[in-house]
Amino acid sequence: MKERINSLRAYNEALKYIPGGVNSPVRALRSVGETPLFIRKARGTTLSDVDGRRYTDFCLSWGVFILGHNNTLVNKAVRAAISNGTSYGIPSLPETELAQLVNGLIPGMERMRFVNSGTEAVMSAIRLARGFTGRTLLVKFDGCYHGHADHLLVSAGSGVAGLGGSSSAGVPDGFVQYTVSVPFNNRAAVERVFAERGQEVAAVIVEPVPANMGVIMPDDGFLNFLREITLRHESLLIFDEVITGFRLSAGGAQQVYGIKPDLTTIGKIVGGGFPAAAFGGRAEIMSLLAPDGPVYQAGTLSGNPIAMSAGVATLRQLMENDFYQRLADKTSRFIEALKDAIKDKNMIINHTGNMFTLFFNIVEARNFADVKKTDQQRFARFFRYMLANGFYISPSQFEANFISITHKNSELYRFVRAVKTFEA
Ligand SMILES: *Cc1c(COP(=O)(O)O)cnc(C)c1O
């Protein structure tokens, strides 16, 4: 194995100008006892770093690349779009084209607006929910991650979970006073909030299948329960489908579970590898946005034609050739083999189709409290072991791994073999 000399050099140079050398904290790989990789190029499932090492990618830019990296048709669409300029700050056709496609796949998004990140989508959806209901309180779930807006850094998952604290420095208490966080899959806790403060609840926001504390499955009926209790109290239900949208099915988790939230946020896959996300929902609610209504929301680069074109080219491919069936076939065999590989290892797997998390030294993971008991030292060893074997998995216990349509069966079986030999 070559040393990672160039990555180390790049890291040291980056450290001079960029805090931690990274533009998003988990990339620093600190919690797994590593230093960052610097990637030179990616294609399909393969990442190549600046030292010429190659890794089979199971993180896929945090779930963005369901078609694999460097997709030919997306690239073609992007090149064509760039030849006409890269931003206008004035409407262009790809915005409506992508909105039509999204609406066809997620009909609950009757109207939508595009933004530049999932953080922005969620922040805007919540402002809108408060504007629509005239209420202030937001109910979220421990370990769910909804981006890094101040008022959402309460018992948050993803990189926030790795900090050890429940929130972030720099967020005044006053900014989180309208956020209540309760355990996922805990109906009684939700009922208590509504019993005490139902009149104040503007919205319940949830990752319908949480993926930012590792993958956690909703108990049977839990999402229906959230739909029912929010309707009863005239609060809104927001599904944060930034990961699950176009991942669990063409219509996201709401299609899989047959539930229509009032508002939905999407991101990651919909930008085709560019910074794009969206929030949308019932026309009646969306009509409160400026310029039609009093809720302000805007963005210099929102609806950027390059990002929109990448999104269009991505979604079109998801609608063709039984995409989700093919992906499900590939994945189900892999997951079965993986289950077999870990059966004597004091590990468990949570999965839904093409995303999964392996947890260490716990017997079940139904909520954030369970997940926090996982053996993070052992996870860190596992990460380093997999990396040494040429696999880049998501570098935190509190994240999901993803499978793309470009993963070859041979790569999936090499992955299973590597898991089997871990600590053997
Ligand atoms: C990634 C993610 C976000 C934040 O999106 P960014 O584009 O990173 O701002 C919000 N919600 C969920 C569920 C996510 O997975």
Side-chain angles (χ1 to χ4, degrees), residues 118-258:
T119 294
E120 233 186 299
V122 172
M123 187 183 79
S124 307
I126 290 169
R127 183 182 305 141
L128 181 58
R130 287 177 166 146
F132 181 77
T133 57
R135 301 174 179 181
T136 48
L137 203 64
L138 179 75
V139 179
K140 72 174 285 291
F141 294 93
D142 301 342
C144 283
Y145 179 71
H146 303 294
H148 64 94
D150 283 341
H151 61 140
L152 289 165
L153 293 176
V154 181
S155 300
S158 191
V160 192
L163 288 180
S166 64
S167 189
S168 165
V171 178
D173 289 345
F175 284 26
V176 297
Q177 67 178 318
Y178 299 120
T179 309
V180 173
S181 191
V182 295
F184 188 72
N185 275 332
N186 188 328
R187 292 185 195 210
V190 177
E191 275 163 356
R192 245 186 332 269
V193 175
F194 274 96
E196 288 164 15
R197 308 180 68 180
Q199 289 300 312
E200 298 169 55
V201 179
V204 172
I205 186 165
V206 65
E207 293 182 70
V209 177
N212 285 290
M213 49 177 145
V215 173
I216 301 291
M217 298 306 289
D219 288 351
D220 281 349
F222 183 68
L223 298 172
N224 282 304
F225 158 77
L226 295 180
R227 178 65 286 184
E228 187 272 324
I229 199 166
T230 45
L231 276 173
R232 187 146 43 85
H233 289 84
E234 294 176 359
S235 308
L236 301 186
L237 178 62
I238 306 174
F239 270 13
D240 183 353
E241 299 227 42
V242 169
I243 283 190
T244 53
F246 315 112
R247 168 62 59 187
L248 299 198
S249 75
Q254 54 197 272
Q255 181 184 15
V256 172
Y257 291 92

Side-chain angles (χ1 to χ4, degrees), residues 12-162:
N12 285 325
E13 198 58 24
L15 280 171
K16 294 182 193 163
Y17 309 100
I18 301 173
V22 292
N23 284 302
S24 197
V26 183
R27 297 179 200 169
L29 307 189
R30 293 234 178 116
S31 71
V32 289
E34 271 286 347
T35 53
L37 307 182
F38 280 73
I39 299 302
R40 195 169 58 81
K41 64 177 180 182
R43 173 172 290 281
T45 56
T46 306
L47 295 170
S48 308
D49 71 10
V50 291
D51 292 290
R53 291 187 183 208
R54 291 161 151 244
Y55 307 91
T56 306
D57 190 6
F58 283 79
C59 181
L60 297 167
S61 200
W62 307 101
V64 167
F65 290 114
I66 196 166
L67 296 168
H69 291 277
N70 217 336
N71 177 269
T72 310
L73 294 177
V74 174
N75 285 358
K76 196 171 153 212
V78 165
R79 279 199 203 95
I82 285 179
S83 70
N84 293 320
T86 59
S87 176
Y88 315 122
I90 298 172
S92 61
L93 300 178
E95 298 165 59
T96 311
E97 203 180 349
L98 185 56
Q100 276 168 345
L101 284 174
V102 170
N103 171 262
L105 297 173
I106 308 179
M109 294 180 79
E110 294 171 6
R111 305 277 187 280
M112 72 199 74
R113 197 165 263 176
F114 291 104
V115 293
N116 304 299
S117 69
T119 294
E120 233 186 299
V122 172
M123 187 183 79
S124 307
I126 290 169
R127 183 182 305 141
L128 181 58
R130 287 177 166 146
F132 181 77
T133 57
R135 301 174 179 181
T136 48
L137 203 64
L138 179 75
V139 179
K140 72 174 285 291
F141 294 93
D142 301 342
C144 283
Y145 179 71
H146 303 294
H148 64 94
D150 283 341
H151 61 140
L152 289 165
L153 293 176
V154 181
S155 300
S158 191
V160 192

Side-chain angles (χ1 to χ4, degrees), residues 1 4 29-35 53 55 360 376-395 422-423:
M1 271 267 183
R4 290 216 314 258
L29 307 189
R30 293 234 178 116
S31 71
V32 289
E34 271 286 347
T35 53
R53 291 187 183 208
Y55 307 91
F360 294 79
Q376 288 199 58
Q377 294 302 319
R378 198 164 168 230
F379 171 78
R381 284 200 299 280
F382 179 70
F383 175 86
R384 294 194 299 267
Y385 177 82
M386 294 304 282
L387 195 68
N389 279 278
F391 297 99
Y392 185 76
I393 62 170
S394 289
F422 172 59
E423 291 173 346

